[in-house]
Amino acid sequence: MFEDIRGPVLFAHRGASAHAPENTVPAFELALEQGADGVELDAKLSADGRVMVIHDASVDRTTGGRGRVRDLSAAEMRALDAGRSSSREFRGARIPTLEEVFETIGKRGIINVELTNYSTPHDQLVETTCALIKQHKMQRQVLFSSFYAANLKKAARLLPEVPRGLLALPGWKGAWARSFVFHLGDFQALHAHISDTDPALIERVHRLGRRIHAWTANTEAEARRLTGWHVDGIFSDDPLIAARGMGRGA
């Protein structure tokens, strides 16, 4: 998956979310056009068991609707305008299903699927997502991530060939995840907050033979610093700015 990419992998955080409505197909397509190696997205189950791509537990912030994702059907969410707060060209953008994302950007880049059933931890999100990945033969294009180690453990049983990145909260809240949980767990990468990512942490992760991906770098200086420290991946809301800091842009 990462073999042909020189330097850190550039992930567009929720797509090119600095330029287009987050977690929408236009944001993902724009990110790849802007030179991102892949996109990061958030997956949750609708009331009728479809894997929807949306960050929040509710639709309130990103659409004109109201309600919790777990209480709304896929059709109800698809009827909402996820581009209402963006420029005119993105008005009418929809909350996509994960299947739609696979069908539209498919094999064009890496897709980091964050398993975000944080308010519904006992649902079937992992099982349903793994089934979709198999159906679309996306095993070599997908990377899982989650703050819940249990999600990643379940994904490892169902799709052991798909790499897994453990997300760690910033500061003291994520200290346990960055150390004990990551060291003892079956993870291929640590997804650390940029405020916690420094040469010592990078070296410690590399000594384990694993990768470290930092979130979220939105200035050239941040991307330049992380690249100089030999981080393995950078998440950014603005792929154009991050690419310049990584030495890719003009």
Side-chain angles (χ1 to χ4, degrees), residues 8-116:
V9 176
L10 176 55
F11 295 98
H13 182 241
R14 307 180 199 172
S17 52
H19 303 278
E22 66 176 62
N23 275 321
T24 63
V25 169
F28 300 142
E29 292 181 324
L30 181 60
L32 297 176
E33 292 170 9
Q34 291 180 342
D37 301 304
V39 302
E40 183 267 356
L41 57 80
D42 303 283
K44 288 180 175 64
L45 283 186
S46 64
D48 51 349
R50 300 287 298 279
V51 183
M52 307 302 295
V53 177
I54 183 170
H55 176 269
D56 296 1
S58 79
V59 300
D60 299 14
R61 178 177 63 87
T62 55
T63 76
R66 294 188 64 80
R68 295 181 300 182
V69 172
R70 67 184 183 186
D71 296 330
L72 298 170
S73 70
E76 288 172 321
M77 280 188 277
R78 295 278 295 162
L80 301 173
D81 186 353
R84 61 189 295 271
S85 61
S86 300
S87 60
R88 188 181 302 274
E89 67 178 304
F90 296 117
R91 299 285 170 82
R94 302 301 170 193
I95 300 173
T97 63
L98 183 59
E99 189 168 15
E100 181 185 1
V101 175
F102 287 165
E103 291 171 349
T104 52
I105 67 170
K107 306 292 172 52
R108 292 166 55 193
I110 300 167
I111 301 178
N112 183 150
V113 177
E114 183 181 345
L115 301 163
T116 64

Side-chain angles (χ1 to χ4, degrees), residues 23-233:
N23 275 321
T24 63
V25 169
F28 300 142
E29 292 181 324
L30 181 60
L32 297 176
E33 292 170 9
Q34 291 180 342
D37 301 304
V39 302
E40 183 267 356
L41 57 80
D42 303 283
K44 288 180 175 64
L45 283 186
S46 64
D48 51 349
R50 300 287 298 279
V51 183
M52 307 302 295
V53 177
I54 183 170
H55 176 269
D56 296 1
S58 79
V59 300
D60 299 14
R61 178 177 63 87
T62 55
T63 76
R66 294 188 64 80
R68 295 181 300 182
V69 172
R70 67 184 183 186
D71 296 330
L72 298 170
S73 70
E76 288 172 321
M77 280 188 277
R78 295 278 295 162
L80 301 173
D81 186 353
R84 61 189 295 271
S85 61
S86 300
S87 60
R88 188 181 302 274
E89 67 178 304
F90 296 117
R91 299 285 170 82
R94 302 301 170 193
I95 300 173
T97 63
L98 183 59
E99 189 168 15
E100 181 185 1
V101 175
F102 287 165
E103 291 171 349
T104 52
I105 67 170
K107 306 292 172 52
R108 292 166 55 193
I110 300 167
I111 301 178
N112 183 150
V113 177
E114 183 181 345
L115 301 163
T116 64
N117 54 340
Y118 303 129
S119 62
T120 57
H122 304 297
D123 66 13
Q124 295 295 302
L125 175 66
V126 179
E127 292 86 346
T128 308
T129 300
C130 287
L132 282 175
I133 291 169
K134 289 180 181 178
Q135 177 186 335
H136 290 271
K137 297 180 172 57
M138 292 289 293
Q139 290 93 325
R140 291 188 56 80
Q141 298 295 127
V142 170
L143 165 69
F144 286 125
S145 66
S146 187
F147 287 103
Y148 281 179
N151 277 343
L152 300 177
K153 185 175 181 179
K154 189 182 296 183
R157 290 198 303 268
L158 296 170
L159 281 179
E161 66 271 36
V162 174
R164 299 165 297 282
L166 178 67
L167 274 157
L169 290 167
W172 64 267
K173 291 182 179 180
W176 190 249
R178 290 190 301 274
S179 56
F180 181 80
V181 178
F182 182 70
H183 279 245
L184 296 185
D186 181 18
F187 314 110
Q188 286 69 49
L190 174 66
H191 291 192
H193 191 265
I194 188 172
S195 63
D196 299 304
T197 305
D198 58 21
L201 180 62
I202 294 168
E203 181 182 358
R204 180 154 53 85
V205 172
H206 285 169
R207 281 202 305 267
L208 294 171
R210 306 184 196 180
R211 301 176 61 88
I212 179 167
H213 303 152
W215 56 281
T216 307
N218 287 327
T219 69
E220 287 188 44
E222 289 170 337
R224 186 179 304 113
R225 182 171 67 249
L226 290 167
T227 300
W229 288 343
H230 304 293
V231 77
D232 301 295

